[in-house]
């Protein structure tokens, strides 16, 4: 579990202590599976506490930063996710009173997206905000922890597991041997499902020719009765338009809509049910270990703020895209019931079991997720 604890000798600013109490309320809410309507009020409290934290930690005059870091992301410049990560860096600078400055770079700016883990561990980069699935070639646990297909229908379900179900500790254990310190996890909205035919139940997936990347998602849809085809993302629109595939695992609703996917595939499934990637926010462990306690507290607090900023930003874009899609009489947005989502999750669990046996950490992660979902009557 991510810790925001403060020892007396760290001299954390009073605003950080206020944030600690608020963060505890957030974790209680997500851990209890509380309704999301409770979360906006918590967000308002976070903003107030972060303002207090930034003011109380500011030295009173502009000074050169004590720490200048470069973090690489998994998005291209200009994407909503990239912009949100730039805003996170700006918040860290304000909260630290200018003592920390972080340059946010797009995917591939310094190293390929599959190499940021090693680059952060060696200090070539000082951190990354990325999808752990990119490192699946190093350890299958990265694939499971990065995107456990079918497990989560809402980002706060995943965050609840990370913060109170053992997820944080397991992921920190996974990255530490690479010389990386895991600050915390964030998440985006579930990916919508693009379809040119109505898929109202799990049963309707049978025989559907669909685009899916190789790996866990491919195997799970195969088990559900679909006929997956591995295609690069750049070919999805043309494949749908020409009828090469009837459906596709692609990305969030707003992006699908903006790229015209729903104009050629009129039965999108939303909210999504299958894919919800984790965002890993980590930095070089040797640098973290040498940081004063108040800056560690600020970085921990900044991740809790980023969770809300990013999720609600993407959610707002999705909501606007949904309204745009509804204005087209040819488009019907399909929303699976809770029972259908649970059916798909049980099918997905069969593939989770296959991955669980790969090593000790994958087994422990599988056991923790299953216990967490069963404890909330979601499996």
């Amino acid at each position: 579990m991510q810790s925001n604890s403060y020892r007396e000798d760290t001299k954390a600013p009073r605003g950080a202590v206020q944030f600690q109490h608020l963060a505890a309320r957030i974790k209680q809410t997500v851990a209890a599976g509380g309704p999301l309507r409770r979360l906006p009020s918590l967000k308002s409290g976070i903003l107030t506490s972060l303002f207090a934290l930034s003011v109380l930690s500011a030295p009173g005059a502009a000074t050169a930063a004590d720490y200048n870091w470069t973090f690489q992301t998994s998005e291209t410049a200009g994407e909503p996710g990239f912009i949100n990560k730039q805003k996170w860096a700006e918040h860290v600078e304000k909260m630290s009173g200018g003592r920390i400055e972080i340059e946010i770079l797009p995917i591939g700016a310094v190293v390929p997206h599959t190499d940021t883990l090693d680059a952060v561990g060696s200090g070539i980069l000082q951190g990354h905000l990325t999808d752990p699935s990119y490192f699946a070639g190093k350890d299958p646990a990265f694939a499971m922890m990065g995107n456990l297909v079918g497990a989560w229908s809402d980002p706060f379900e995943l965050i609840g597991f990370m913060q109170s179900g053992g997820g944080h500790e397991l992921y920190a254990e996974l990255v530490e041997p690479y010389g990386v310190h895991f600050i915390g996890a964030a998440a985006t909205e579930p990916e919508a499902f693009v379809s040119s035919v109505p898929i109202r139940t799990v049963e309707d997936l049978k025989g559907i020719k669909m685009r899916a990347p190789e790996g866990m998602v491919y195997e799970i849809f195969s088990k559900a009765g679909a006929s997956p085809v591995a295609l690069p993302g750049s070919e999805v629109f043309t494949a749908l338009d020409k009828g090469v595939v009837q459906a596709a695992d692609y990305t969030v609703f707003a992006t699908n809509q903006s790229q015209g996917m729903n104009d050629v595939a009129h039965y999108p499934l939303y909210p999504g049910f299958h894919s919800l990637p984790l965002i890993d926010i980590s930095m070089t462990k040797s640098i973290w270990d040498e940081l004063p306690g108040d800056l560690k507290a600020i970085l921990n607090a900044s991740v809790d703020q980023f969770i809300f900023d990013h999720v609600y930003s993407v959610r707002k874009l999705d909501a606007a895209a949904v309204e745009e899609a509804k204005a087209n009489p040819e488009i019907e947005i399909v929303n699976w019931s809770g029972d259908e989502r649970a059916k798909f999750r049980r099918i997905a669990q069969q593939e989770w079991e296959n991955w669980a046996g790969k090593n000790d950490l994958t087994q422990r992660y599988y056991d923790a997720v299953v216990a967490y979902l069963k404890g909330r009557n979601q499996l």
Side-chain angles (χ1 to χ4, degrees):
M1 186 188 307
Q2 177 176 325
S3 173
N4 282 320
S5 61
Y6 302 86
R7 301 197 318 265
E8 291 183 3
D9 61 349
T10 61
K11 298 181 182 179
R14 183 167 57 87
V17 177
Q18 290 176 330
F19 190 92
Q20 179 191 13
H21 296 317
L22 189 62
R25 290 176 57 207
I26 301 166
K27 292 175 183 178
Q28 289 170 2
T29 300
V30 294
L36 292 181
R37 63 176 178 269
R38 294 170 56 188
L39 294 172
S41 63
L42 286 175
K43 184 185 179 189
S44 176
I46 286 175
L47 293 173
T48 301
S49 290
L50 285 179
F51 176 77
L53 179 55
S54 64
V55 170
L56 290 166
S57 61
T63 59
D66 296 331
Y67 302 93
N68 289 276
W69 302 330
T70 298
F71 280 45
Q72 186 169 301
T73 73
S74 52
E75 294 89 7
T76 57
E79 284 188 57
F82 181 80
I83 293 170
N84 288 341
K85 290 171 182 179
Q86 287 181 311
K87 290 178 180 177
W88 168 76
E90 293 169 3
H91 288 158
V92 170
E93 182 177 0
K94 291 176 183 177
M95 292 164 66
S96 67
R99 294 158 65 194
I100 297 175
E101 289 185 2
I102 303 176
E103 182 182 15
I104 300 295
L105 296 180
I107 188 169
V110 177
V111 296
H113 60 282
T114 53
D115 294 345
T116 61
L117 184 72
D118 290 333
V120 172
S122 65
I124 295 172
L125 294 167
Q126 289 73 57
H128 64 193
L129 300 93
T130 194
D131 180 348
S133 302
Y134 294 145
F135 316 129
K138 296 182 176 296
D139 191 311
F142 281 110
M144 289 191 74
M145 297 189 194
N147 189 354
L148 192 61
V149 178
W152 319 108
S153 295
D154 185 279
F156 291 105
E157 292 175 1
L158 172 55
I159 296 302
F161 167 71
M162 293 300 294
Q163 295 190 346
S164 66
H168 184 99
E169 292 89 343
L170 288 167
Y171 192 78
E173 181 180 341
L174 176 62
V175 301
E176 186 171 1
Y178 296 92
V180 172
H181 172 78
F182 178 46
I183 305 172
T188 189
E189 284 285 86
E191 294 181 355
F193 192 74
V194 183
S195 180
S196 60
V197 296
I199 301 175
R200 306 187 193 283
T201 66
V202 173
E203 185 73 17
D204 292 340
L205 284 169
K206 290 184 177 178
I208 294 294
K209 193 172 183 181
M210 60 165 288
R211 180 262 179 178
E214 294 181 356
M216 185 180 293
V217 64
Y218 189 102
E219 296 302 327
I220 288 173
F221 275 105
S222 293
K223 283 182 168 60
S227 299
V229 178
L231 292 174
S234 59
E235 296 181 15
V236 171
F237 181 89
T238 301
L240 285 165
D241 189 36
K242 295 186 178 299
V244 176
V245 296
Q246 299 165 286
D249 163 54
Y250 193 55
T251 187
V252 295
F253 193 97
T255 302
N256 294 342
Q257 179 68 16
S258 68
Q259 293 185 3
M261 298 289 179
N262 299 329
D263 293 327
V264 297
H266 294 158
Y267 298 92
L269 276 73
Y270 176 83
F273 64 92
H274 66 295
S275 180
L276 201 164
L278 180 80
I279 299 173
D280 161 16
I281 305 173
S282 293
M283 66 179 295
T284 309
K285 187 177 185 301
S286 59
I287 297 176
W288 171 270
D289 289 343
E290 296 298 321
L291 288 177
D294 64 323
L295 291 185
K296 290 179 179 179
I298 284 169
L299 287 167
N300 285 333
S302 73
V303 171
D304 287 315
Q305 170 65 17
F306 177 72
I307 291 168
F308 282 98
D309 286 346
H310 186 62
V311 168
Y312 283 106
S313 170
V314 176
R315 191 163 287 182
K316 182 178 180 180
L317 292 172
D318 273 358
V322 166
E323 291 305 310
E324 179 182 307
K326 285 180 177 178
N328 183 342
E330 295 184 339
I331 296 175
E332 178 189 346
I333 298 174
V334 178
N335 183 7
W336 273 10
S337 68
D339 287 344
E340 291 303 318
R341 293 170 187 273
K343 286 178 186 177
F344 185 83
R345 189 176 290 125
R346 287 191 289 271
I347 293 171
Q349 187 183 358
Q350 300 171 29
E351 186 63 18
W352 303 349
E353 289 177 353
N354 292 337
W355 284 71
K358 293 181 182 292
N359 61 43
D360 175 67
L361 202 50
T362 54
Q363 184 65 56
R364 287 159 56 204
Y365 186 79
Y366 169 81
D367 292 341
V369 169
V370 170
Y372 185 85
L373 290 172
K374 286 184 175 179
R376 284 151 183 78
N377 199 30
Q378 292 177 288
L379 193 63

